[in-house]
Amino acid sequence: MIPESFKNDLLNRVDIVDLIERHVRLKKAGANFVACCPFHNEKTPSFTVSPSKQFYHCFGCGAHGNAISFVMEYSGLGYIEAVKDLAESVGMKLPEFERRAGGGAPIAGDEGPDLYDIMKRAADFYREQLKASPAAVEYLKGRGLTGKVAARFGIGYAPPGWQNLQPVFPDYADKALKDCGLVIDGEGGRRYDRFRDRIVFPILNQRGSVIGFGGRVLGEGEPKYLNSPETPLFEKGRELYGLPQARTAIREAGRVVVVEGYMDVVALSQHGIEYAVATLGTATSATHVQKLFRQTDEIVFCFDGDAAGLRAAWHALEVSLPVLADHKAVKFLFLPAEDDPDSYVRARGREAFERLLHEARPLSEFFLAELRGRVDVTTPEGRSRLIHEAKPLLKRVAAPALQLQLLKQVAQASDMTQEDAARLTEIRSAGPARSAYAAPARGPDRGMLALDHRLERELIICILAHPPLAREVPAEIVDDGHPEGRALAALIGFEGIEGLTHAVILEAMRDSEHEALLNRVDGELLERRMEMNVARTEFNAAITALRMRNPNPRIRELEEKDARGRLIGQGLTGQESEEYRQLKAEEAALKQHRMPPSRMV
Ligand code: UTP
Ligand code: MN
């Protein structure tokens, strides 16, 4: 969407310390700056900004990223807006670009019309129209809403008729109206309003600007809700309906409730529960969860008690696992099958609903119940399968204490010791810390070590400390059969980029499977204060250790050929024998090499 080169230039031009200092008081601490984290409540500073690497990291809540991430999280902007804001702050202009390949609409540059302004004018118009439509007002009253709550959510009404927006926008043919998703170009080029004869719910971004609409039919009809399409302003998978309105209440209540519908949010607010938000007819995403954890430590997902609700809840659980921290909690509330939050709170009131919230099931309980439901725990085979099912999920849990708790439960349910369960699920057990370079040779340790990808991690840390090192990783030591290996492979993929910096790497990895890993690795990087020369030493040591662990496959190949040769009378050629001798000599030299004892991790 936005050219890589532009983003890289931008990241090289802004100074993250300057940027963050405009909003947060930073204190110098060694090579870095620290502050109380702007993304969660704390009394002692655990938010760190690295000027040399141009990223921030909070050891408390896990907030993490480059300058673009900071603008997104702090100001609640979408990605494109954040890039634009940041670019303007350093006098760069976002080039016109295609949103999607082919047919996409170029985003309005400085000369173009302001899409936010267009959306605001449409919302104002719909609000006015609601006042003039008794049928629409009756409908909302019939659903128990007062004018006050309708105003809080800016609810409006799009009247029947095909071109009601014409008088609002005299240039009705303007391309920008289409870019906003307000109109549809029909066959024969006839343009008409997207929303007709519907109650309209404006969707706001965190800054409070209208970025989309959801439109409900007044009674029965298909589709029940019609939503804005994805536009330059509106990305469904990132946004949460009602978040700007709920923000204060979320802070006060110390929790947020995530429901499924517009009407659920509005009805809960009508009954005094103002800390609810809704996903926009899409599955819960990790971005949603992250966004909410920036506001509070507890998320209660509230789903219908039917099969679809259960599936949606399980999906929410899966996306939460990598973003959970040990001081954060995710809970699940399943309503009786016939209810949704709207009908429940209207029938039984605020206190009854809040009682349900207090009894919501912790993630750990839902996790185990679901897994147990998938197998027959009365048989050894079923219990083995439980482990098998749990493994990929446990591996995704980023919060160490939670991971251990879940592991314990799984071990109990499958009638195994915690050690066995840890080994089978490839979770590092909470045994004594070990050196990254511990000899891999002995006994049962071997399996654990092979699965514990510390060396790859170490290489990743070194590359993040000094990105040019990416060029020096020998391809044959990379094993992409595990997350650390894949992240390493991705980093090596950057070797051609000129002026590769830490911030650019983070940018390229945004929304990739490597994000959570990089976040953790960056935390370690800060704690160890690894500077460039140290990075190089550590890097060489890790490469050597990895080579030792994974012997050169060429040696094996030559040995096999030699063995075969003895049987059929056709051994290694002279050249191959020489190569073999050399490789073995190198290997022996590697084994002689003493590892520096300094890196006990
Ligand atoms: P629901 O069908 O549960 O709607 O869909 P609701 O919010 O309870 O609506 P009411 O009470 O009948 O008015 C939940 C959410 O799924 C999306 C909307 O975001 C809705 O709020 N949805 C649903 C659509 O986008 N389109 C549809 O046709 C239906
Ligand atoms: Mn409903």
Side-chain angles (χ1 to χ4, degrees):
M1 294 202 294
I2 303 175
E4 295 298 323
S5 56
F6 182 84
K7 285 189 281 189
N8 298 351
D9 276 358
L10 175 62
L11 286 167
N12 287 322
R13 188 119 32 122
V14 291
D15 177 20
I16 198 164
V17 176
D18 271 1
L19 168 71
I20 296 181
E21 214 158 36
R22 269 178 248 149
H23 309 282
V24 180
R25 179 115 51 93
L26 294 174
K27 232 176 74 190
K28 188 102 174 104
N32 298 323
F33 291 85
V34 296
C36 281
C37 180
F39 302 118
H40 80 288
N41 278 327
E42 63 174 7
K43 296 206 180 69
T44 50
S46 42
F47 181 77
T48 309
V49 184
S50 163
S52 60
K53 319 222 161 51
Q54 292 288 307
F55 74 94
Y56 63 93
H57 181 88
C58 175
F59 290 98
C61 70
H64 174 259
N66 58 19
I68 300 176
S69 323
F70 186 83
V71 176
M72 289 173 73
E73 297 298 348
Y74 192 84
S75 312
L77 300 183
Y79 183 75
I80 295 169
E81 300 169 85
V83 171
K84 195 169 168 216
D85 250 37
L86 205 54
E88 274 164 12
S89 76
V90 291
M92 287 172 73
K93 219 174 100 192
L94 197 62
E96 289 239 330
F97 60 91
E98 298 290 322
R99 183 166 168 77
R100 288 187 197 86
I107 302 263
D110 281 350
E111 328 71 58
D114 180 352
L115 302 190
Y116 290 109
D117 182 55
I118 292 177
M119 293 300 273
K120 179 180 180 304
R121 277 154 65 197
D124 290 345
F125 169 73
Y126 293 142
R127 251 202 341 267
E128 285 306 313
Q129 293 300 305
L130 176 63
K131 289 180 196 149
S133 166
V137 171
E138 267 323 296
Y139 177 80
L140 292 174
K141 276 195 184 151
R143 297 202 61 169
L145 302 184
T146 57
K148 194 167 156 222
V149 164
R152 174 177 164 90
F153 289 93
I155 297 174
Y157 174 61
W162 292 88
Q163 293 174 332
N164 288 308
L165 290 178
Q166 171 95 67
V168 185
F169 303 102
D171 184 9
Y172 190 65
D174 189 348
K175 204 172 122 327
L177 289 185
K178 174 100 182 291
D179 292 346
C180 286
L182 287 172
V183 296
I184 295 170
D185 286 329
E187 280 166 37
R190 205 177 121 83
R191 177 170 276 207
Y192 57 92
D193 297 354
R194 177 181 298 270
F195 299 101
R196 304 177 308 279
D197 195 14
R198 283 174 184 269
I199 300 286
V200 223
F201 298 85
I203 300 158
L204 311 182
N205 66 11
Q206 291 195 63
R207 208 169 37 174
S209 308
V210 180
I211 54 174
F213 294 101
R216 194 199 193 288
V217 291
L218 258 62
E220 304 291 305
E222 287 292 324
K224 182 163 77 171
Y225 283 94
L226 185 70
N227 303 298
S228 288
E230 302 253 322
T231 72
L233 307 185
F234 181 43
E235 245 179 282
K236 272 180 217 178
R238 300 191 65 90
E239 304 301 336
L240 289 154
Y241 177 70
L243 186 51
Q245 290 94 339
R247 190 177 275 138
T248 313
I250 292 173
R251 290 251 152 110
E252 279 165 8
R255 75 163 88 87
V256 60
V257 187
V258 183
V259 295
E260 291 180 280
Y262 299 105
M263 275 306 294
D264 297 323
V265 171
V266 176
L268 285 171
S269 172
Q270 178 74 56
H271 287 83
I273 297 171
E274 299 188 331
Y275 47 86
V277 300
T279 49
L280 289 156
T282 62
T284 312
S285 68
T287 309
H288 287 143
V289 179
Q290 260 165 341
K291 218 172 201 181
L292 293 173
F293 273 148
R294 299 267 182 273
Q295 318 265 332
T296 183
D297 289 345
E298 183 180 320
I299 302 178
V300 184
F301 287 105
C302 179
F303 290 102
D304 302 353
D306 58 7
L310 237 97
R311 260 199 314 280
W314 183 253
H315 176 81
L317 177 142
E318 286 185 308
V319 300
S320 300
L321 292 179
V323 280
L324 263 163
D326 282 331
H327 63 290
K328 305 269 180 193
V330 165
K331 295 183 180 173
F332 295 88
L333 165 56
F334 296 101
L335 293 177
E338 66 281 6
D339 271 316
D340 66 7
D342 166 32
S343 64
Y344 192 94
V345 79
R346 279 175 65 192
R348 292 176 236 199
R350 170 183 182 163
E351 271 161 36
F353 190 82
E354 288 197 316
R355 256 198 312 279
L356 288 187
L357 284 178
H358 283 294
E359 291 158 12
R361 296 172 94 172
L363 176 138
S364 56
E365 201 184 302
F366 179 41
F367 178 84
L368 195 69
E370 163 72 22
L371 288 183
R372 288 182 77 122
R374 291 183 188 177
V375 304
D376 175 4
V377 285
T378 63
T379 67
E381 285 81 359
R383 293 193 295 270
S384 312
R385 210 174 126 212
L386 180 65
I387 290 276
H388 175 78
E389 298 266 321
K391 177 174 158 181
L393 298 163
L394 288 176
K395 289 183 85 160
R396 251 187 267 169
V397 181
L402 178 71
Q403 188 185 48
L404 216 58
Q405 292 296 335
L406 294 178
L407 177 69
K408 230 180 213 168
Q409 287 188 338
V410 168
Q412 259 166 21
S414 50
D415 197 18
M416 291 190 190
T417 65
Q418 196 177 316
E419 287 66 39
D420 283 339
R423 186 171 45 79
L424 291 165
T425 53
E426 300 176 6
I427 299 294
R428 239 181 311 137
S429 78
R434 66 175 94 234
S435 161
Y437 303 119
R442 251 160 302 134
D445 248 357
R446 184 183 202 139
M448 286 295 289
L449 259 176
L451 299 167
D452 170 352
H453 309 291
R454 286 225 141 245
L455 291 170
E456 281 90 348
R457 240 177 113 109
E458 186 70 9
L459 287 179
I460 295 172
I461 295 185
C462 295
I463 294 173
L464 289 173
H466 183 47
L469 286 172
R471 296 198 182 117
E472 296 177 34
V473 181
E476 72 271 11
I477 65 158
V478 180
D479 165 11
D480 60 9
H482 48 83
E484 285 82 356
R486 283 193 294 279
L488 192 57
L491 286 172
I492 297 175
F494 293 134
E495 60 184 336
I497 297 184
E498 274 304 304
L500 185 63
T501 63
H502 191 124
V504 168
I505 292 175
L506 288 186
E507 198 47 39
M509 299 287 203
R510 184 183 293 284
D511 295 329
S512 76
E513 70 159 318
H514 312 303
E515 250 188 332
L517 177 67
L518 291 186
N519 182 334
R520 270 172 285 154
V521 166
D522 271 338
E524 211 171 308
L525 178 64
L526 287 174
E527 276 171 335
R528 282 166 48 179
R529 306 198 174 97
M530 191 188 277
E531 293 309 327
M532 203 162 93
N533 51 347
V534 183
R536 164 154 302 280
T537 318
E538 302 283 340
F539 177 86
N540 290 338
I543 297 267
T544 309
L546 261 174
R547 278 214 166 114
M548 251 162 79
R549 205 166 73 187
N550 313 326
N552 191 330
R554 178 72 179 150
I555 295 183
R556 171 89 29 92
E557 198 182 310
L558 291 170
E559 279 171 351
E560 275 169 16
K561 180 163 184 210
D562 186 42
R564 256 197 331 271
R566 271 165 221 216
L567 288 175
I568 57 171
Q570 193 185 42
L572 300 179
T573 63
Q575 210 177 8
E576 282 170 336
S577 300
E578 179 52 30
E579 185 187 357
Y580 182 72
R581 250 194 311 280
Q582 268 194 14
L583 288 172
K584 288 300 274 186
E586 272 170 28
E587 190 182 61
L590 275 177
K591 284 188 177 151
Q592 285 286 313
H593 185 93
R594 288 258 166 276
M595 288 306 117
S598 64
R599 285 274 20 98
M600 306 294 282
V601 206

